[in-house]
């Protein structure tokens, strides 16, 4: 039987199936990236809900695996060399899963690096900017009288959507006909921006027809639909 005792997180969120990938997450744009990838790849895994509303990601057990205190985090009991590996940061996990399976990233080295750069684009730009729009438009930041921060993040988010709009012209996916971790990294964020964050009109989303069509294609995938609600909020 697989032994996960070296990972303190497994004491707070015990594994029923320790031989499977252990996912510690919550259905947010960052969290669902990994759920979607696991569903697309068909890898056996066990999802544990880390309730960020209750600040469970700041508990010592979670921080022992992800010192950044953000979801998601993951343990693969069958990592490199058949040894367990613990990972945090969603982009790194996506790349690990694609390397593990040889899927969701093009085999050609040039296209592989092009795919990775778009994952980094999400992590460095899309995610942080959209998250700030959510804060200043829907959450506590909306009460701030000075609207310059909101305007700054709105304008930058619109610019970033424009980057995607240009990239997706004449393409089904970010990497042409290849659906990859680049698409998976961004689908939840764009969905949240116009849905949960209620910023569709704010950023003028309907001006970006290529992005809208890409989002619709992505959300129609059964694995994406399943992954968007994993782990269940309870």
């Amino acid at each position: 039987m697989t032994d996960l005792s070296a990972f303190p997180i497994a004491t707070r969120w015990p594994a029923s199936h320790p031989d499977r990938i252990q996912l510690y997450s919550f259905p947010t744009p960052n969290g669902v990236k990994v759920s979607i990838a696991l569903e697309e790849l068909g890898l056996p895994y066990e999802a544990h809900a880390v309730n960020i509303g209750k600040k469970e990601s700041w508990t010592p057990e979670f921080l022992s695996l992800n010192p950044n205190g953000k979801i998601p985090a993951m343990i693969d009991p069958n990592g490199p060399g058949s040894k367990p590996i613990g990972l945090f940061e969603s982009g790194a996990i996506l790349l690990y899963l694609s390397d593990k399976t040889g899927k969701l990233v093009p085999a050609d080295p040039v296209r592989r690096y092009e795919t990775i750069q778009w994952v980094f684009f999400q992590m460095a730009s899309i995610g942080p900017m959209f998250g700030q729009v959510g804060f200043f438009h829907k959450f506590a930041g909306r009460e701030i009288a000075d609207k310059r921060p909101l305007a700054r993040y709105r304008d930058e988010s619109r610019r970033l959507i424009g980057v995607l709009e240009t990239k997706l012209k004449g393409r089904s996916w970010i990497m042409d006909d290849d659906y990859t971790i680049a698409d998976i990294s961004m689908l939840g964020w764009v969905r949240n921006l116009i849905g949960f964050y209620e910023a569709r009109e704010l950023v003028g989303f309907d001006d970006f027809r290529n992005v809208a069509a890409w989002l619709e294609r992505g959300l129609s995938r059964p694995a994406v639909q399943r992954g968007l609600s994993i782990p269940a909020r309870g």
Side-chain angles (χ1 to χ4, degrees), residues 13-219:
W13 291 277
S16 298
H17 305 281
D19 57 324
R20 301 178 185 178
I21 288 173
Q22 302 294 306
L23 174 65
Y24 308 92
S25 190
F26 203 63
T28 69
N30 276 335
V32 300
K33 282 184 278 186
V34 178
S35 300
I36 291 169
L38 288 166
E39 288 291 320
E40 292 280 8
L41 294 167
L43 290 170
Y45 72 101
E46 183 176 357
H48 305 275
V50 178
N51 193 321
I52 59 176
K54 297 180 180 179
K55 298 184 178 180
E56 289 182 344
S57 64
W58 298 106
T59 58
E61 294 87 353
F62 187 84
L63 290 170
S64 69
L65 182 56
N66 184 352
N68 194 30
K70 305 290 185 180
I71 52 97
M74 188 191 81
I75 297 172
D76 182 358
N78 186 28
S82 299
K83 297 179 180 179
I85 182 173
L87 294 168
F88 70 96
E89 293 298 343
S90 56
I93 295 173
L94 288 180
L95 184 57
Y96 171 80
L97 293 173
S98 68
D99 283 348
K100 180 182 178 72
T101 59
K103 299 177 180 179
L104 295 178
V105 168
D108 175 74
V110 172
R111 289 176 57 77
R112 168 184 161 83
Y113 281 111
E114 289 175 352
T115 303
I116 293 171
Q117 77 179 347
W118 286 99
V119 175
F120 286 4
F121 170 74
Q122 181 274 304
M123 295 178 67
S125 300
I126 289 280
M129 290 300 112
F130 287 12
Q132 292 297 332
V133 167
F135 176 77
F136 284 103
H137 181 61
K138 180 171 182 175
F139 298 114
R142 72 181 185 275
E143 300 173 4
I144 298 174
D146 187 346
K147 298 305 177 186
R148 285 175 294 181
L150 173 61
R152 190 265 189 212
Y153 291 117
R154 175 202 64 205
D155 293 347
E156 181 64 2
S157 293
R158 182 174 170 85
R159 184 189 72 80
L160 294 172
I161 300 170
V163 172
L164 273 183
E165 178 75 3
T166 300
K167 177 64 175 176
L168 288 164
K169 184 178 181 180
R171 304 169 186 256
S172 295
W173 306 108
I174 291 170
M175 295 303 296
D176 304 300
D177 293 328
D178 291 330
Y179 172 78
T180 68
I181 56 174
D183 301 287
I184 292 173
S185 73
M186 293 187 228
L187 284 169
W189 276 109
V190 177
R191 172 179 176 264
N192 249 45
L193 179 71
I194 65 173
F196 185 66
Y197 292 161
E198 301 172 351
R200 185 185 199 107
E201 184 177 350
L202 178 72
V203 299
F205 183 77
D206 292 335
D207 294 338
F208 303 100
R209 296 183 179 181
N210 296 329
V211 176
W214 163 84
L215 179 63
E216 184 177 354
R217 279 191 295 275
L219 294 180

